[in-house]
Amino acid sequence: MPSLDSLLSRRQLLRVGAVSTAVSMSGWMGRLAAAAEDAKKKPKRSCVLLWMNGGPSTIDLWDLKVGHENGGPYKEIEAAPGLMIGEHLPKIARHGDRLAVLRGMSTKEGDHGRGTYLMRTGQLPGAAGIQYPSVGALVSKELGDPAAELPNFISIAPQRFFSQEAFGPGFLGPVHAPLVVGENQNFNNPNGNGIDDALKVADLERPRAIDEATAAARLDLLRGMQEDFAAGRPGPVARSHAAAYDRAVRLMKSEGGKVFDLTTEKAETRDKYGRNLFGQGCLLARRLVEKGVPFVEVTLGNWDTHGNNFELVKNLCGTLDAAWGALMDDLKDRGLLDTTTVVWMGEFGRTPKINQGRGRDHYPNAWSTVLAGGGIKGGQAVGKTSKDGTTVEERPTATRDMLATLCLALGIDYEKTNPSNVGRPIRIVDKPCDPVTEVVA
Amino acid sequence: MSAFIRAAVALAALAAPATAAEPAPAPKPKADPADAIAALIDRHLAADWAARGVRPADPAGDAEFVRRVYLDLVGRAPKVAETRAFLDDPSPNKRAALVDRLMTLPGYAGHLAAVTRAAWLPQTMTNQFANAGFQFENWLRTRFRDNTPADEVVRRILTIRFTVNAQNRQFRFVQPADPTDPEAATLVGFYQANEARAENLGSAASRLFVGVKLECAQCHDHPFAPYTREQFWEFAAFFAELNETTAPRPGAVGPPAPPRPGLKNTLGIPNTDKTVEARFFDGTSPEWTADRSPRQELADWLTRRDNPFFAKNMANRMWAHFFGFGIQDPVDEPGADNPPSHPQLLEDLGRAFAAAGFDNRALIRGITRSKAYGLSSKLTHPSQADPRRFARMSLKGLTPAQLFDSLVAATGHREPGYMRDYRFGFNAQPDNPRSQFLTRFATNERVTEASTTILQALMLMNGRFVTDVTSIEKGEVLGAIADVPGWSTEQRVSALFLAAFARGPAPEELEVFASYVDRGGATGDKKKALADVFWVLLNSPEFLFNH
C-alpha cells in the first residue's frame, strides 16, 4: 500500500512544506515574534519592478534616433558620461551612474497579452499546460521570509486585463501570490483622496462593531473549524484557505499594515513623487522596501500610444520621472539603493517608424529595458540598435537574458529549478539564457 | 416582520441534527440510460479499486450530498428549507429525484451555461470580449434549459453563416451573413472572442470539441505529443474562410477585396511558402463539394457517432465538472505521457453518451447516481489520496458566483434583480456586493487547486457585506434564528449550522459553540455570540468549498 506522502504530487509536497509553518501549533502570536526576530538579521535584497503597461516607446526614452526621420521631436540629455537618454527624464538622469540601459532587447511577442506573459514569466503563454510563475512570485520564493508579517510579493496598481495569469504565482502556489492594492481595471485612475484609499489594503480594518476580544474569540473558533475540516481533506484547496487567513490575520494584527497609510508621510515628500496613483505607488514601494518586502511592483499604464505618441509620451514621462526620480533619491538617502534593484520594462517597445497619426505601434524586435541600483553596474548602455532603430546590431537581448541578469543582480541562482504543476522541474529562468553580465556589479 | 415569520416557519421544523443515512439503492422500473451509465461507472471503478487495493471513502451522508448536488447543478448551496425538506424525505429514491428536480430549475441552465462559457471562452472573463461571452452564455442557457443535445450545440456553433471584414489589420470583424438570424448574431461572438483568426478557431475547436490542445504545434511540432505543425494548420484550415475579406463595414477605409472563388479550405503556414488543405485529425479528408463549407464538413465529422474523439471528450468534460478531475486530465492534453486514468471507462462512457443521443441530462443523471459521486470527501484511508482514482470526492473551489449565491442562500440577503443579473468578473461597483465578490474572487485556476488570497480572506472576515449579514440587526436568517421564541441555545446553533453547512453540528461542535453562546462570547451578549458563531461558520472552509 502506498503511503499518503508518496501519493501527493511534488507540487503538493512543495505546498505542504511552504505552508506547514503557517498551520503549526505555535499560533499566530508565536509566529509574529519569530518573524520580528528574523527581520533583524541581515540586509535584505529587494526588487522594485516599474511595469509600463501598454508597451512603452523606448525609442523616445532610452535609445533616441535624433536627426533620423524615425526619431521624432525629442532631444537627448546626458545621464552619465556617454549615456544619453530622452530629455523628458531629467530627474532620472541625475541617477545615470546607477542606470544600465539594455538597448538590445529583441523579444518575440507583439501582442499585449502574450507580450505581458512573456516578459513577466520568461515563457510563452499556454505552453504544455504549465502554469508559470510571474517574476514577482519567483523572487518572493527565493528572497522572501515565509514568516514575514508583510507578503513577499506586493503588486501596486496593476492592470491585469491583458494577462491575469502573468501576475500570478503559477505552480509556486498561493503562498507566493501577490497582495494587490490599487488595482485599476477601467483605465480611470483615482485621484485626490481616492488614491490614499486605493493604495490601502481593502478590508484590513476590523469592523467597528467588533471589539478586539470578540475578534480573537472568533478566530479561535475558526481555527478549530479549519483544522477539523482540513484534517480529513489534504490538498491545496484547504491549505491555501488556512494560509490566506493566517497571513491576513498577521497583516491585521501587525504594525506592518500601517505601511499602507501614506497620510503619515510629509506633504512635500508626497508632492515630490507626484500626486497620482503611480507616484504615490512608488512612495508606497519605497516604504515597503524599507520594511524588507523583497518584491514590489508599481504599474504605470496608458503607454499604448498608437496615435499622438509624442504628446502622450511627454506627459507619461512627467509622471514617470518625478516618481522614479524621487524613489531613487529616497532609496539612496536611506542607504537602500545598494540592496534594491529597480527594473523598468513593459511588454514590448514601439515601432521606430512614426505612423500617419503621429503614433507608434507595437514593436518587440528592437527596444530597451532598464536595470538600476543594487547589483547593477550603472552609467552605461549595453546593446545597440541600427540608425533607424529597427534592428538590433549589438548584444541582442532576449527576455530570458534580461531576467537572468536581474537574478544575478539580486543574488538569485537562476539555474535553480522548481517542481512545476506537471511534475517537470523548471528552472527559475529557463534555457536558453545568456545574462548580460556586463551590467552586473 | 414578514422576513422573521418566513424564516421562523422554515426553521420551526428543525429537530435533532441530521445524521448521515446510507441511501437505499434506487432501482427504476424501465431501462433508463442513466442507470446504465451509473452501472458502467460503478463497474469500472470497482474493478480498478479492487486491482489497486484502494478502499473508497465512506458514502456521503444526505447532508453532504444535498449541498454538493445543489452546488454542482444549480450553482449555490441549498437554503435551510430546501435542506430540511430533503433530509426529512423518507423516500429511498430521493437523491435521483432531487437531481431530476434541480435540472428543471432556472439555476441549472444558468450555472451550467456559466461554467461552460468560462471553460470554452475563458478569454471573455476579463477582457475586451466580455460582451461576446455574455451573449454566448445567454445562448448556452437556452441550450441547457431545452436540453439541446451536445452534438447539436456544437454543430450550431460551427455552422453559422457569417461574413468577415478584415480591412482593419488590428481587428477582424465577424458579422452574421443574414442580419435577421438571431442565433448567428449571437454566435459570431464565439468567433469574435477567438479574434476571428483561423488558427485561433482551429485551436479552440480542437481543444474544446476534439479534446486535444494543439496550440504548441502552431509554431513548431508539439514537444510532448505526436502532433506536427502541419497537422495544426491543416485543422485550422477548416476555418480558412475567416481569412477572407467578404463584407464591407460602415466606416471602413477602401472597398472590400473581392472574395476568392471556390472553397475556402486552404491556408498558408505563416513564414513559409507552404499552403495546406483542411484535413481531419485522423488524417482523412472530406469529399469536398461546392455546396458544403469546410465548417459543415468539420461539424459532420466531429459529431458522427463513430468519431473516436467527440463523445469521449464531451462526456469527460461533464465528468470533470462533477469530480473536479477528468478521466482524461487535463481534459485537452491526451498523450502517451498523460493517459486517461480509466481508459475503458472513458470509452464506454463516451459510447453510452452517444447512444443516449448526447443527452446531457441523461449523462448527468448517470454520473450523479454513481457510487463515486456519492462518496464523502473525507479521507479515511491513504489509498484515497490520489484524486484520479475517484475513491473520495475532491475538494473543489467555488466560482465567484457560486460563492456569492451561497452566501445569499445562507444569510437570507435580499438582492435586487438588477444586481442578481450582474455577471462580469471585473468592474466592482460601490454599492453592489455581487460585483465586488465577482471581482475579488475572479480566478482562472482549476477548481481542485482553487487558492484563497489574502484580500479574499480579508473581505470575508471584515468586508461590509459579510459584516452586515452576520449582524443581528441586518442579517435576515441570523436575526430570525436569534429571535425564535422558546428555542434553546442548542437549537439556535443547530439552525445556524444547517443554514451554513446543510448539516447539523456534531456533538463536540454543539458543545463548543453552545457553551460559547451561553457564556455570551467575549462580550457577555448571547445574541452577539450567536452572530460570532454564524461568522465563524461562513468563514469556514466547509462553507467556502464544495466537498
Side-chain angles (χ1 to χ4, degrees):
Chain A
M1 181 57 52
S3 75
L4 238 178
D5 276 359
S6 73
L7 288 167
L8 290 171
S9 73
R10 295 190 65 183
R11 177 184 191 193
Q12 287 169 322
L13 284 176
L14 173 79
R15 286 176 164 178
V16 174
V19 182
S20 59
T21 41
V23 289
S24 65
M25 319 292 141
S26 63
W28 286 306
M29 294 316 286
R31 280 193 304 284
L32 262 184
E37 274 309 302
D38 272 4
K40 287 176 197 154
K41 276 181 202 159
K42 54 177 185 229
K44 285 211 155 205
R45 302 303 301 262
S46 290
C47 178
V48 176
L49 167 61
L50 305 177
W51 177 256
M52 303 294 114
N53 206 53
S57 185
T58 59
I59 191 173
D60 297 313
L61 276 71
W62 308 111
D63 189 12
L64 275 68
K65 300 297 171 186
V66 179
H68 192 279
E69 62 176 312
N70 290 349
Y74 295 174
K75 299 186 185 63
E76 288 183 307
I77 55 173
E78 188 174 75
L83 178 62
M84 305 299 287
I85 67 171
E87 63 177 320
H88 299 298
L89 301 173
K91 291 170 181 157
I92 295 167
R94 291 207 301 260
H95 296 279
D97 62 326
R98 306 304 303 263
L99 302 182
V101 180
L102 303 181
R103 284 191 181 147
M105 292 305 298
S106 188
T107 54
K108 296 277 178 243
E109 296 288 347
D111 167 79
H112 288 295
R114 296 178 65 86
T116 299
Y117 192 87
L118 173 65
M119 288 304 291
R120 298 179 56 94
T121 65
Q123 302 282 353
L124 295 175
I130 300 172
Q131 299 157 330
Y132 291 104
S134 91
V135 57
L138 288 164
V139 173
S140 159
K141 172 149 189 294
E142 293 309 308
L143 301 183
D145 171 2
E149 60 184 21
L150 287 166
N152 290 311
F153 174 13
I154 296 179
S155 181
I156 300 170
Q159 302 179 331
R160 294 186 283 184
F161 39 75
F162 287 143
S163 177
Q164 190 87 15
E165 54 277 20
F167 290 77
F171 55 69
L172 294 182
V175 187
H176 300 290
L179 173 74
V180 174
V181 294
E183 173 121 49
N184 181 346
Q185 287 145 327
N186 300 311
F187 293 100
N188 50 347
N189 284 313
N191 46 37
N193 293 336
I195 295 173
D196 293 351
D197 289 338
L199 291 180
K200 280 189 184 146
V201 180
D203 303 318
L204 187 62
E205 304 288 324
R206 197 173 63 226
R208 236 169 299 157
I210 307 301
D211 61 32
E212 204 176 331
T214 299
R218 284 177 165 196
L219 288 171
D220 202 41
L221 289 169
L222 176 59
R223 195 157 58 233
M225 296 303 284
Q226 284 176 324
E227 283 168 5
D228 289 351
F229 186 80
R233 295 169 185 85
V237 176
R239 273 201 304 276
S240 167
H241 178 267
Y245 272 73
D246 187 43
R247 301 214 72 161
V249 169
R250 231 187 294 173
L251 197 57
M252 285 172 67
K253 286 188 175 180
S254 71
E255 290 295 299
K258 296 203 174 106
V259 72
F260 295 94
D261 181 7
L262 298 179
T263 59
T264 58
E265 289 281 344
K266 281 191 226 138
E268 52 264 41
T269 306
R270 304 195 62 184
D271 292 345
K272 196 172 75 157
Y273 277 83
R275 295 276 187 167
N276 53 70
L277 191 63
F278 179 74
Q280 300 302 299
C282 283
L283 174 55
L284 175 55
R286 185 264 281 163
R287 292 166 62 89
L288 292 166
V289 168
E290 286 179 282
K291 292 276 179 193
V293 176
F295 193 96
V296 185
E297 65 175 344
V298 194
T299 293
L300 176 60
N302 296 337
W303 286 99
D304 199 16
T305 50
H306 287 286
N308 195 22
N309 174 71
F310 300 98
E311 273 304 300
L312 293 173
V313 168
K314 187 179 165 186
N315 285 336
L316 285 162
C317 280
T319 306
L320 174 66
D321 192 50
W324 188 4
L327 177 65
M328 296 293 281
D329 290 346
D330 280 6
L331 289 175
K332 195 172 168 187
D333 291 349
R334 287 162 172 75
L336 289 168
L337 195 51
D338 291 335
T339 53
T340 306
T341 311
V342 181
V343 194
W344 181 96
M345 66 175 178
E347 62 264 40
F348 40 64
R350 307 202 74 84
T351 40
K353 189 172 162 48
I354 299 162
N355 69 24
Q356 289 174 339
R358 299 286 292 158
R360 296 189 192 269
D361 304 315
H362 304 178
Y363 201 67
N365 197 44
W367 60 295
S368 304
T369 58
V370 182
L371 295 169
I376 294 298
K377 208 182 283 171
Q380 59 170 335
V382 175
K384 191 177 159 208
T385 53
S386 55
K387 275 209 175 75
D388 61 1
T390 56
T391 53
V392 174
E393 293 184 337
E394 279 175 25
R395 192 52 174 104
T397 306
T399 306
R400 289 174 182 171
D401 303 341
M402 192 275 298
L403 291 175
T405 312
L406 172 63
C407 284
L408 288 179
L410 289 167
I412 292 173
D413 173 9
Y414 62 83
E415 294 185 340
K416 198 183 134 181
T417 61
N418 289 302
S420 72
N421 55 308
V422 297
R424 200 150 58 84
I426 309 264
R427 298 193 345 167
I428 289 178
V429 180
D430 220 343
K431 281 191 284 196
C433 74
D434 178 16
V436 188
T437 48
E438 303 94 298
V439 305
V440 180
Chain B
M1 202 56 200
S2 69
F4 165 76
I5 292 167
R6 211 174 50 239
V9 169
L11 294 167
L14 193 81
T19 49
E22 176 84 38
K28 276 237 163 182
K30 289 211 185 65
D32 180 343
D35 284 331
I37 290 171
L40 82 87
I41 295 170
D42 290 349
R43 189 174 70 242
H44 282 294
L45 289 183
D48 179 60
W49 293 335
R52 292 169 189 267
V54 170
R55 222 158 69 196
D58 295 336
D62 277 348
E64 194 174 355
F65 184 85
V66 69
R67 188 170 197 274
R68 177 184 303 166
V69 84
Y70 264 85
L71 281 167
D72 286 340
L73 284 178
V74 297
R76 64 168 173 83
K79 298 172 190 170
V80 172
E82 293 166 332
T83 302
R84 196 71 262 169
F86 180 75
L87 298 181
D88 289 349
D89 180 354
S91 149
N93 199 28
K94 67 180 177 177
R95 292 192 179 189
L98 176 64
V99 169
D100 287 348
R101 196 177 67 75
L102 291 179
M103 286 196 292
T104 66
L105 300 182
Y108 162 76
H111 180 55
L112 269 285
V115 168
T116 306
R117 186 277 292 246
W120 289 10
L121 292 179
Q123 63 271 48
T124 62
M125 295 301 273
T126 53
N127 74 5
Q128 55 177 329
F129 301 120
N131 234 6
F134 193 68
Q135 289 185 10
F136 184 64
E137 187 177 318
N138 284 346
W139 181 81
L140 284 172
R141 270 186 191 203
T142 315
R143 300 288 72 74
F144 281 106
R145 189 198 65 198
D146 297 350
N147 200 28
T148 311
D151 58 337
E152 176 68 17
V153 169
V154 171
R155 170 179 302 280
R156 280 156 83 167
I157 293 169
L158 288 181
T159 58
I160 55 156
R161 290 174 52 247
F162 57 69
T163 58
V164 185
N165 180 296
Q167 283 168 315
N168 179 348
R169 280 191 305 121
Q170 307 286 335
F171 189 74
R172 294 184 191 186
F173 197 75
V174 188
Q175 295 158 307
D178 173 3
T180 64
D181 176 354
E183 182 157 272
T186 300
L187 288 177
V188 288
F190 185 83
Y191 294 81
Q192 201 67 66
N194 283 298
E195 299 176 66
R197 294 182 181 281
E199 60 270 36
N200 293 13
L201 266 304
S203 290
S206 172
R207 182 171 68 84
L208 301 174
F209 308 138
V210 184
V212 176
K213 206 185 225 170
L214 278 178
E215 281 94 318
C216 282
Q218 184 172 348
C219 313
H220 46 74
D221 292 352
H222 200 293
F224 307 115
Y227 310 122
T228 65
R229 187 174 183 208
E230 198 157 312
Q231 269 181 309
F232 172 84
W233 289 99
E234 285 171 354
F235 197 77
F238 283 104
F239 297 92
E241 67 195 288
L242 284 163
N243 288 13
E244 291 287 296
T245 302
T246 50
R249 180 161 64 101
V253 184
R260 278 186 302 168
L263 261 178
K264 283 124 196 138
N265 64 348
T266 60
L267 200 60
I269 301 182
N271 305 319
T272 69
D273 300 332
K274 201 162 189 177
T275 297
V276 293
E277 189 181 282
R279 194 194 298 265
F280 297 126
F281 209 63
D282 54 8
T284 63
S285 302
E287 302 270 333
W288 297 110
T289 59
D291 59 334
R292 293 176 53 76
S293 75
R295 286 185 293 125
Q296 285 174 319
E297 298 290 357
L298 175 61
D300 275 3
W301 173 78
L302 266 177
T303 57
R304 259 170 29 195
R305 289 289 156 88
D306 60 346
N307 179 299
F309 305 102
F310 181 76
K312 274 201 302 193
N313 165 61
M314 300 308 273
N316 186 49
R317 284 174 174 273
M318 189 62 89
W319 175 282
H321 172 72
F322 287 94
F323 287 98
F325 275 82
I327 301 167
Q328 172 67 53
D329 194 273
V331 295
D332 49 13
E333 290 181 42
D337 60 345
N338 186 32
S341 57
H342 303 79
Q344 199 53 48
L345 168 57
L346 186 55
E347 282 297 329
D348 289 355
L349 195 65
R351 209 167 290 149
F353 186 40
F358 297 105
D359 178 341
N360 280 319
R361 286 188 195 168
L363 181 60
I364 289 172
R365 284 157 62 224
I367 289 172
T368 52
R369 281 177 205 182
S370 71
K371 186 176 174 206
Y373 183 74
L375 291 177
S376 170
S377 66
K378 199 167 164 64
L379 181 139
T380 51
H381 189 265
S383 63
Q384 300 151 9
D386 180 357
R388 301 192 61 182
R389 300 269 70 85
F390 306 106
R392 70 166 178 127
M393 181 49 73
S394 282
L395 203 53
K396 295 182 289 184
L398 302 184
T399 66
Q402 269 179 320
L403 171 61
F404 193 75
D405 286 334
S406 298
L407 276 168
V408 168
T411 62
H413 171 69
R414 277 177 289 175
E415 191 183 23
Y418 76 91
M419 289 192 191
R420 209 160 47 232
D421 290 341
Y422 186 94
R423 266 182 277 164
F424 293 118
F426 48 93
N427 190 16
Q429 300 167 346
D431 292 315
N432 181 348
R434 178 179 294 270
S435 77
Q436 292 157 12
F437 270 80
L438 263 52
T439 306
R440 188 77 65 90
F441 286 83
T443 176
N444 45 23
E445 291 170 314
R446 57 174 303 156
V447 290
T448 50
E449 289 172 6
S451 58
T452 309
T453 69
I454 294 173
L455 288 175
Q456 290 167 355
L458 288 170
M459 189 180 206
L460 291 165
M461 288 194 290
N462 303 331
R464 191 167 129 202
F465 179 78
V466 174
T467 302
D468 283 351
V469 295
T470 56
S471 75
I472 295 288
E473 301 75 28
K474 293 186 181 164
E476 294 269 349
V477 163
L478 174 65
I481 289 173
D483 285 341
V484 180
W487 268 11
S488 67
T489 302
E490 281 77 8
Q491 282 173 304
R492 295 184 210 281
V493 167
S494 299
L496 290 177
F497 266 75
L498 204 60
F501 296 165
R503 68 168 174 96
E508 320 82 76
E509 290 170 329
L510 190 58
E511 160 62 27
V512 168
F513 284 96
S515 67
Y516 177 84
V517 174
D518 278 337
R519 66 176 181 269
T523 55
D525 180 329
K526 283 190 185 185
K527 278 193 178 177
K528 280 190 177 165
L530 211 54
D532 294 342
V533 172
F534 203 32
W535 181 95
V536 169
L537 300 185
L538 295 182
N539 274 281
S540 296
E542 187 167 351
F543 175 77
L544 296 171
F545 302 118
N546 185 358
H547 41 83

